[in-house]
Structure formats: C-alpha cells, structure tokens
Amino acid sequence: MNAALARKAEAHGMEFPLAETIYDVAVIGGGPAGYTAAIRGAEYGLKVALIDASQKLGGTCLHVGCIPTKALLFNAELWEYVKDAAEYGIKLGEGGIGTPALDWAAVMARKNAIITKHVNGLNFLMKKHKIAVIAGFGRLTGAAQGGVHTVEVETNGQKSPVKAKNVILATGSEAKLLPGLKADSTVLTNIEILDLSAPPKSLIVIGAGAVGVEFASIFRSFGTDVTILEFLSRVVPVEDEEISKELARVFRKRGIETSTGAKVEKVEKTAGGVRVSYTDANGKAQVKEAEKVLVAVGRGPLTSGIGLEKTKVELERGFVKVNEVQETAEPGVYAIGDIVAGLPQLAHVGAMSGMVAMAKIAGRKYRPVRRDRIPSCTYTDPQIGSAGLTEAQAREKGHEVKVGKFPFAGNSKATIVGSHDGFVKVVADAKYGEILGVHIIGPQATELIAEAVAVMELEGTVEHLMFTIHAHPTLSEAMLDGYGAVEGMAINA
Ligand SMILES: Cc1cc2nc3c(=O)[nH]c(=O)nc-3n(C[C@H](O)[C@H](O)[C@H](O)COP(=O)(O)OP(=O)(O)OC[C@H]3O[C@@H](n4cnc5c(N)ncnc54)[C@H](O)[C@@H]3O)c2cc1C
C-alpha cells in the first residue's frame, strides 16, 4: 500500500481497501443514492464499504446539483423580497435612501459553506455507522466467485481489490452536451454555472427541464437577460400542461423570454460570448447572442468503464435495467439512482431505490419504488410540486376523471407572503374519488406536495380530504380548497 496516498485518503476521511475483508455490500458511488444505501445497510447491521472516485462524498446532488442550486434560489427569493422591501414597509439604508446591493462573492461563499457543512456531515455519518469509505474509481471484475464479488478500486494508478457478497452500482450521471460542444467559461453545464465570478449580463438556456428553468429563474432574479430555447412544445414538459402554461406566463411577466419548439442548430463563440442559431416553431431561422449559454438538455448515465461488459448486467441506452428490488441481471449486483433505466433522475428517488436494494439484501421488508408516487419538485419562482398522473395521463389510462383547481389568489397566506401566482390542481377518479395526481404551482409548492404524496400512498379520496382540517392561515389551505374544487365546492374561490 502507498503510505502517502493512504495518509491523503485518511485526511479526507477515506480508507484504502483492505484485501482481506469481505464486506456484505460494496457500494460504488457516494452520491445521495450510494451514501443513503450505505447508511441503511449499516443500520441493518451489514458490513458496508462505500467507494467513491472523488475526494468528497455527496455526488452531483451535494456539489453541483440540488444543494447549491437551492442555496442560490433562496438567495434569489430573498433578493426579490429586498427589491420590493418598501411594499412590506421596510426602508433600506439610512432614512430609506440606501440602495440594496448584491455581494456575489458572499453569495458564492455561503453556497460553498453549505456544501462543506454537508460533506462534513456525511463524513460524520460514515464514521458513526462504521462504513468503510474507500477513495478510488471502482469497477466490477466479473461475476461473483464462490459468492464473493471483487471490485477493482483504482486510486492514482494503483489498483486494489475490494471483496463483497453484494455490489450496488450508484455511479450517477453527467450533463449531456450538444454534439461538438465542450464546456468552458462561456459554454456552461451545471458545473461551470455554479462557479461564475458574477451573474452574466445575458444568458441563453438550452433546455427547459427542471435544471434549465431553475438556472433561468436564479439569474433573472439577479438581473440577467435570460432566453430559454426548448425543443419540445412547452416548458417543463414532464409536468401537467396547465403547469407548463402557468410557468411560461409568470416567466414572461418576470422578463424571461421563452421560445418553445426551437431546434438549436449551432452554438458559436463570439468576441463577447456566444451566438446560438436555431429554427423556431414556425420553421424560421433565428439567431440569438448572449454572454453565456447554459446547456441543460438532460443527463447521461455514468455506466461505461465500470466493468459491466464482464457481467450479465443489461443496459438500455446506457441505463441499467433492474427489477423491482433494483437487482440487475447479474446475481448479487444492484443498481440505484441516476443510472437506473425508467426512473426519474432525482436525489430522493436515488435514495429510496438504495433503501429498497439494501432491504432486499438484508432480507428485510421493502416496498418497491412506485413511479406514480414520486414527488417532482422544481424550485423556480414560482415553485412547482407535482405527484401522480397528469390530467392527460389519467385520461390516457382510461380513468374517468374529475379535476379541481384552486388559485393561490384566493388563499390568505399567499396574500400575506405576497405570492399570488399559481394554483393547486387535483386530478381525481370520478367514480371513487381516489386522488390520482396533484399538481401545484405557486408559493412553497415543493413543500405542499408532500401531503399529496402521503395521501396517494394511503389511497386517500377527495371525500377524506374535504373533511381533513388544514390550519388557518396557511398555504396548505389551498390544498383543502383544491380537493373541494373537485366537487365544485372550494370555499375561497
Ligand atoms: C443542477 C442540478 C440540480 C438538481 N436539483 C435537484 C433537486 O433539487 N432535487 C432532486 O431530487 N434532484 C436534483 N438533481 C438531480 C440529482 O442531483 C441526482 O438525481 C442525484 O445526484 C443522483 O444521485 P446518484 O447518487 O445516483 O448520483 P450522483 O449524485 O451523480 O453521485 C454519483 C457518485 O458516484 C461517484 N462515481 C462515479 N463513478 C464512479 C466509479 N466508477 N467509482 C467510484 N465512484 C464513482 C461520483 O464521484 C459521485 O460521487 C439536480 C441535478 C442537477 C444537475
């Protein structure tokens, strides 16, 4: 063993593999899927090794995904309130004549401090649960021999075996780029955009999925001219159509320009930034210039170079195929998180898929991840929270559907917090009143959706919910009115 490398790894709370140990489970990848699985495994009393190629646990989510974006979105929300401070009776500066100023370096420093705090938190949890954290790039070496898998772990060219009875693959994903493009200080992915030295004067966002619209929302709040180009016919295309329409409307009001049905043809560097050529929805050639461009066209799974070709693991466009307990076609090899075929790439889905896999390995009770019970949250201004079937999906599936819609304009807490855009939309089964889907756009939608998921998990009905007491004055009363609206009986609209 290389002593210098061992010391370096130890300084980061990581270990070198011990060839003689046979773990119950080796998890490859220390993002939210992998570290959650590792902790749950240890809670079940299993001997767990967690292998990660980077020096810091947390994966995309903690370093360049969920956490830093939500930190910036919180800054953006505060900044919007500060801009309207007078409306709330707050005078800024001496006698109200001071002009609020944005300290971008402090914004970035706070975001980085949050990441560091949570990396330290993860290191603490690993120690607490006696999980062996191993630094290095892990790859499978083939099928298990005598019931034991060998994962080759490479650190700075040095290779060591890690032996385990089960292996969980949790290697995550990376941003896709358009053909011929390379990320740099002008052409950005989620990584570069989170490290800008100042908000750009103008930004083109290619892709109106959650990542694209969140960055559009953040930088618009900080004064950037933002244009979104989306290939499909609407923004946030996985959401209910009415949600897409409302987000586009509010974004327009906020000064975010959106072009849907836009096919990007070329991205070229210019002296001042970038020029993006695209064909618009009417088939007309268009050109747009900006200081920076963010490419947010989806994320590809990191499944090459990890030894899958030496196993029976089956892939679908690079994603790993699994059964309901996350097991691949190779016995004893599981896959969780962003690399799994057919699951949305979300941290909470990755984490839950890890808990399911560990429960199966430990021989404990589990409930498989259900696609129709996954909350989907977009933390834009206004926020979006949704779960279950959209109205169109419910009708396609042959349900006789009843829909209720309640606008936040009728909710007193929404007035108090100065946030009246949006609505709660409830899609219910007409015959039995079962809640099939809930779609919220508006204040705290990402928090409110938790109630809907719990209700759907318990197969709650409109009738149950119309008689469920929601505190006053709260945003959650908009949920109560949403359920009532299904029967045409919202109180506040
Ligand atoms: C900008 C942005 C914002 C997002 N916001 C949200 C959000 O608000 N909510 C949400 O739910 N999701 C969000 N996501 C998605 C979320 O980040 C991912 O779904 C989540 O990180 C996936 O977790 P994972 O553990 O599967 O993979 P990752 O988080 O990508 O972690 C994979 C880990 O595996 C390691 N690794 C890779 N290959 C190897 C190898 N061969 N050997 C050892 N280690 C390896 C990597 O170093 C990494 O640490 C966001 C994503 C982006 C890009």
Side-chain angles (χ1 to χ4, degrees), residues 27-35 51-67 69-70 134 136-139 170-175 190 194 210-211 214-215 299 302 304-306 336-339 344-351 375 377 379:
V27 182
I28 308 180
Y35 70 67
I51 303 161
D52 197 281
S54 75
Q55 290 293 336
K56 291 174 183 167
L57 293 178
T60 301
C61 171
L62 178 50
H63 296 279
V64 286
C66 330
I67 302 300
T69 49
K70 268 79 259 179
I134 297 168
F137 187 92
R139 61 175 73 83
T171 48
S173 63
E174 63 182 353
N190 60 301
L194 282 165
V211 171
E214 283 185 3
F215 280 114
R299 297 182 62 80
L302 286 171
S304 65
I306 57 170
I336 59 175
D338 277 12
I339 58 170
Q345 292 177 306
L346 293 168
H348 43 283
V349 176
C377 294
Y379 300 75

Side-chain angles (χ1 to χ4, degrees), residues 125-285:
L125 289 174
M126 295 304 123
K127 280 212 174 87
K128 177 182 162 194
H129 290 287
K130 300 191 173 45
I131 294 163
V133 180
I134 297 168
F137 187 92
R139 61 175 73 83
L140 294 169
T141 54
Q145 305 291 320
V148 177
H149 296 267
T150 302
V151 178
E152 178 188 88
V153 178
E154 185 172 346
T155 316
N156 293 349
Q158 190 184 326
K159 292 178 183 169
S160 321
V162 170
K163 297 199 176 285
K165 294 176 197 159
N166 300 277
V167 176
I168 298 183
L169 304 169
T171 48
S173 63
E174 63 182 353
K176 286 194 228 164
L177 277 163
L178 296 171
L181 283 187
K182 223 174 125 252
D184 57 22
S185 60
T186 308
V187 176
L188 315 171
T189 69
N190 60 301
I191 297 176
E192 298 75 25
I193 198 167
L194 282 165
D195 241 345
L196 294 177
S197 54
K201 288 207 165 29
S202 51
L203 174 71
I204 296 171
V205 176
I206 303 177
V211 171
V213 294
E214 283 185 3
F215 280 114
S217 189
I218 291 169
F219 285 100
R220 183 65 201 132
S221 288
F222 295 133
T224 300
D225 282 331
V226 180
T227 305
I228 301 176
L229 303 178
E230 166 58 48
F231 179 71
L232 296 175
S233 60
R234 56 195 177 96
V235 296
V236 285
V238 298
E239 297 293 344
D240 188 276
E241 257 181 66
E242 290 193 82
I243 297 278
S244 299
K245 253 191 218 153
E246 179 69 354
L247 183 68
R249 184 188 73 79
V250 181
F251 266 16
R252 220 166 18 249
K253 199 169 79 172
R254 293 185 57 200
I256 297 172
E257 207 187 299
T258 304
S259 181
T260 52
K263 183 170 186 286
V264 171
E265 310 286 356
K266 211 172 3 165
V267 177
E268 301 160 284
K269 298 277 193 64
T270 61
V274 282
R275 179 184 305 123
V276 178
S277 310
Y278 64 98
T279 307
D280 71 15
N282 301 318
K284 220 170 133 204

